[in-house]
């Protein structure tokens, strides 16, 4: 039987901004339960919950203080169990977010490490080092800006590849691996269907902490170390120790341009899937997108499974990335249909189905992303794609909350994107419904010649997906079949910024 995770559509829930049931301006599990119908009507197969564990929220949950509980602002374990039951009853799988690279500096292990002496077993769970005089131990940089090291009062430094409130674990210490074995089992025992894994590629650091000269974008000493495969195999064995019919799965957040490396992490005894981020890095250009998909084909051909993604809580939303305004939105619709035609699982980030653009003009004092804070305001950060959803046209919070305001302020124009009557939502629903029948599971991307460098077409099974990026309207060859879904109205030739699906059947 074909496993569900190979060609599902998963809805990403950024819980804090999804729906608030308690009136504090912060989304929560109760709000998600009330709105599960939205996911069912959209036609997705499951949801991924961003981290909802107890956390001081410096990086909104990616700073975990307790891996086995629920953040009180979001609910509790009973509420989580109810959500799981209701989601499963509605036919939806539930993935949690595993954050194994680092924990919050509020985590009891890190607090114990601070109190313990240099060289103690407590410090060995993290990456404490001596500095070079007053300078950090090496030149590594945090992804959020500034050095990747923070000094503690006794003079030692600890490694933090992200915020200084997120301390990197020492994965060469068996205690760390054992702790995460228990965490994975804890949530599998509670009935979840899998994990999205946060920055798994960075868990192991090069042994000698060699300086990185910064000339390459990705620090090779903090990414892609060979010992990672042992950790993936260990988790896979845990997943497979459960009833096979549950088809538990892992999807890794691996940002890499190295396709061989990506494929090597997705063997039958390692991760089930990884996101293919290269696609969302491409501009609205047929040649660039085709090159990206050709690279992906190499991974698919090796028998590996990919997860497609155009939006998430870390990147600018597609309508804004593709130029903004009506044209940006139209391109975003076309990109969505293109993505949904690809072989693998597709991820839809909350608000994407509403056509939300990036909120670029948040007031400075409202911004919360550590990237904004650590860069001294030179990097706008990611708050603009995390603004709470508009459910209705009614201010002040557009159906998000009964509070007067939400944790990140929603702009006045948000009501125009409300779920009710939303045109993007109609397109997504129709595409998701058609996808099940039009595109068979699996396979690779077989490109078709279009005779134009601004038109991209590929076949899967009996169906064809055609995207006209720009230029004149494109006459469809009759032998490709007839239109069964479209990202915009098509009456004859396909206009620019449009994707159509054709089926010969
Ligand atoms: C991942 C998450 C991002 C988070 C970072 C550190 O990239 O997607 O939101 O800030 O890891 O945990």
């Amino acid at each position: 039987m074909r496993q569900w995770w190979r060609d599902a559509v998963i809805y990403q829930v950024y819980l804090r901004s999804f729906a608030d049931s308690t009136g504090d301006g912060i989304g929560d599990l109760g709000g998600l339960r009330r709105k599960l119908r939205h996911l069912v009507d959209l036609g997705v197969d499951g949801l991924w919950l961003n981290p909802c564990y107890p956390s001081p929220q410096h990086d909104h949950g990616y700073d975990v203080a307790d891996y086995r509980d629920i953040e009180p602002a979001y609910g509790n374990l009973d509420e989580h169990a109810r959500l799981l039951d209701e989601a499963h009853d509605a036919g939806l799988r539930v993935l949690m977010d595993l954050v194994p690279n680092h924990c919050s500096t509020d985590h009891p292990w890190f607090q114990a490490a601070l109190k313990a002496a240099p060289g103690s077993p407590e410090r060995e769970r993290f990456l404490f080092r001596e500095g070079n005089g007053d300078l950090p131990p090496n030149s590594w940089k945090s992804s959020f800006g500034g050095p990747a090291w923070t000094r503690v009062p006794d003079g030692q430094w600890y490694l933090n590849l992200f915020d200084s409130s997120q301390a990197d674990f020492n994965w060469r210490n068996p205690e760390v691996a054992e702790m995460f074995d228990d965490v994975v089992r804890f949530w599998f025992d509670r009935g979840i269907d899998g994990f999205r894994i946060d920055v798994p590629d960075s868990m192991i650091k090069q042994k000698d902490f060699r300086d990185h000269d910064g000339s390459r974008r990705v620090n090779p000493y903090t990414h892609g170390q060979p010992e990672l495969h042992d950790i993936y195999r260990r988790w896979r064995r845990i997943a497979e120790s459960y009833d096979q019919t549950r088809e538990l799965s892992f999807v890794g957040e691996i940002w890499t341009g190295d396709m061989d490396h990506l494929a090597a992490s997705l063997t039958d005894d390692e991760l089930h899937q990884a996101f293919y981020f290269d696609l969302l890095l491409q501009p609205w250009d047929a040649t660039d997108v085709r090159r990206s998909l050709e690279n992906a084909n190499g991974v698919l051909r090796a028998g590996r499974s990919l997860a497609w993604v155009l939006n998430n809580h870390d990147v600018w939303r597609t309508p804004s990335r593709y130029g903004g305004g009506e044209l940006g939105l139209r391109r975003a619709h076309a990109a969505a249909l293109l993505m949904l035609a690809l072989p693998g699982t597709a991820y839809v980030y909350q608000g994407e189905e509403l056509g939300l653009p990036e909120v670029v003009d948040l007031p400075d004092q409202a911004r919360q992303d550590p990237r904004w804070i650590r860069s001294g305001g030179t990097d706008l950060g990611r708050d603009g794609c995390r603004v709470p959803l508009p459910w209705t046209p009614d201010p002040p919070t557009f159906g998000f909350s009964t509070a007067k305001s939400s944790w990140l302020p929603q702009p006045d124009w948000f009501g125009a994107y409300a779920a009710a009557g939303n045109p993007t939502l109609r397109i997504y629903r129709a595409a998701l419904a058609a996808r099940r029948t039009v595109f068979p599971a699996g396979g690779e991307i077989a490109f078709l010649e279009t005779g134009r460098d601004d038109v991209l077409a590929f076949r899967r099974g009996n169906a064809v997906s055609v995207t006209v990026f720009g230029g004149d309207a494109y006459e469809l060859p009759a032998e490709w079949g007839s239109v069964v879904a479209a990202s915009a109205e098509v009456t004859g030739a396909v206009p620019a910024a449009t994707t159509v699906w054709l089926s010969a059947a």
Side-chain angles (χ1 to χ4, degrees):
M1 218 194 67
R2 193 159 181 91
Q3 294 118 321
W4 71 273
W5 47 265
R6 285 186 183 271
D7 62 347
V9 179
I10 305 289
Y11 187 89
Q12 180 190 347
V13 178
Y14 197 76
L15 196 61
R16 212 177 164 72
S17 297
F18 188 72
D20 169 21
S21 68
T22 56
D24 61 358
I26 298 174
D28 48 46
L29 290 171
L32 173 57
R33 287 177 54 213
R34 279 190 204 163
K35 301 276 188 200
L36 269 186
R37 196 74 234 159
H38 176 73
L39 275 62
V40 173
D41 292 346
L42 181 57
V44 299
D45 304 287
L47 63 102
W48 150 36
L49 270 178
N50 280 106
C52 49
Y53 316 104
S55 159
Q57 305 290 333
H58 294 299
D59 190 20
H60 296 317
Y62 285 99
D63 45 332
V64 180
D66 179 353
Y67 287 88
R68 296 180 187 80
D69 205 346
I70 295 290
E71 160 65 34
Y74 298 155
N76 53 38
L77 283 170
D78 288 342
E79 183 76 359
H80 182 267
R82 279 192 286 275
L83 165 73
L84 259 185
D85 284 347
E86 288 168 12
H88 285 163
D89 286 348
L92 300 170
R93 310 271 178 162
V94 177
L95 304 184
M96 296 284 277
D97 207 318
L98 187 67
V99 190
N101 179 70
H102 46 261
C103 66
S104 162
T105 49
D106 285 8
H107 189 283
W109 273 15
F110 192 80
Q111 286 300 312
L114 282 182
K115 290 192 193 96
S120 60
E122 287 83 357
R123 289 219 171 166
E124 275 307 299
R125 293 165 173 159
F126 298 92
L127 297 165
F128 280 89
R129 292 290 182 277
E130 298 300 329
N132 288 316
D134 272 346
L135 296 174
N138 72 12
S139 66
W140 295 356
K141 297 275 175 288
S142 149
S143 312
F144 292 163
W149 297 94
T150 304
R151 201 167 196 181
V152 299
D154 59 40
Q156 278 207 317
W157 301 70
Y158 63 88
L159 184 75
N160 56 276
L161 291 185
F162 294 91
D163 191 40
S164 47
S165 65
Q166 295 162 301
D168 280 51
F169 281 113
N170 172 14
W171 267 92
R172 296 182 193 275
N173 179 345
E175 263 192 86
V176 171
E178 281 155 22
M179 193 266 269
F180 276 97
D181 287 356
D182 287 348
V183 168
V184 168
R185 286 203 190 92
F186 178 86
W187 292 102
F188 281 162
D189 288 346
R190 296 189 67 86
I192 69 158
D193 301 292
F195 285 102
R196 175 266 190 189
I197 307 171
D198 193 59
V199 287
D201 208 37
S202 290
M203 288 186 291
I204 300 274
K205 281 75 177 175
Q206 191 269 342
K207 268 204 172 108
D208 312 321
F209 284 67
R210 221 172 279 159
D211 269 333
H212 168 53
D213 63 13
S215 59
R216 286 167 58 184
R217 207 174 76 85
V218 172
N219 179 347
Y221 307 131
T222 58
H223 286 80
Q225 298 294 306
E227 296 91 334
L228 288 171
H229 299 291
D230 299 332
I231 306 175
Y232 298 159
R233 281 193 282 265
R234 181 178 186 121
W235 289 340
R236 182 73 175 240
R237 278 195 302 272
I238 295 179
E240 293 188 351
S241 71
Y242 285 80
D243 175 358
Q244 291 294 301
T245 60
R246 283 179 63 186
E247 298 180 340
L248 302 175
S249 76
F250 297 109
V251 55
E253 185 218 17
I254 303 180
W255 286 86
T256 179
D258 179 346
M259 294 305 126
D260 293 336
H261 171 58
L262 194 64
S265 307
L266 304 177
T267 52
D268 285 344
D269 60 351
E270 299 195 23
L271 301 181
H272 300 79
Q273 244 174 2
F275 289 106
Y276 187 70
F277 289 114
D278 192 67
L279 186 62
L280 67 68
L281 297 174
Q282 303 311 317
W284 184 251
D285 181 275
T287 309
D288 290 319
V289 169
R290 175 164 176 161
R291 196 183 314 114
S292 178
L293 295 179
E294 277 166 356
N295 286 338
N297 246 349
V299 182
L300 298 174
R301 244 173 244 141
R304 312 293 194 252
S305 178
L306 290 174
W308 305 100
V309 53
L310 291 170
N311 292 279
N312 67 29
H313 64 295
D314 292 329
V315 297
W316 267 43
R317 288 184 177 275
T318 36
S320 305
R321 238 167 48 219
Y322 295 145
E326 277 303 309
L327 183 59
L329 181 59
R330 191 180 162 109
R331 289 172 173 168
H333 294 161
L337 260 74
L338 188 159
M339 170 180 80
L340 291 168
L342 296 169
T345 286
Y347 278 70
V348 173
Y349 174 48
Q350 70 178 40
E352 174 181 339
E353 80 286 14
L354 305 178
L356 281 184
E358 188 77 5
V359 180
V360 291
D361 53 357
L362 281 169
D364 285 359
Q365 67 278 12
R367 291 188 185 275
Q368 307 198 5
D369 187 352
R371 230 153 86 175
W372 157 264
I373 297 166
R374 286 178 70 99
S375 71
T378 51
D379 179 343
L380 281 189
R382 303 162 295 178
D383 293 315
C385 65
R386 300 174 174 179
V387 176
L389 290 189
W391 292 97
T392 70
D394 314 313
T397 66
F398 310 106
F400 169 72
S401 169
T402 53
K404 287 200 175 56
S405 61
S406 53
W407 71 276
L408 270 178
Q410 299 157 299
D412 296 341
W413 47 265
F414 241 37
Y417 291 87
N422 183 300
T424 305
L425 188 53
R426 273 204 304 277
I427 295 168
Y428 268 74
R429 280 186 184 152
L432 260 60
R435 183 183 192 268
R436 291 177 195 283
T437 51
V438 175
F439 289 105
E444 32 175 281
I445 310 160
F447 293 99
L448 298 171
E449 279 323 311
T450 63
R452 274 176 49 176
D453 59 11
D454 53 3
V455 180
L456 179 68
F458 59 87
R459 176 181 292 286
R460 277 181 63 215
N462 283 332
V464 172
S465 174
V466 184
T467 303
V468 181
F469 281 75
D472 296 335
Y474 180 74
E475 287 293 345
L476 294 163
E479 65 270 21
W480 288 356
S482 46
V483 175
V484 288
S487 66
E489 202 174 298
V490 173
T491 44
V494 182
T498 309
T499 296
V500 293
W501 293 348
L502 307 162
S503 174

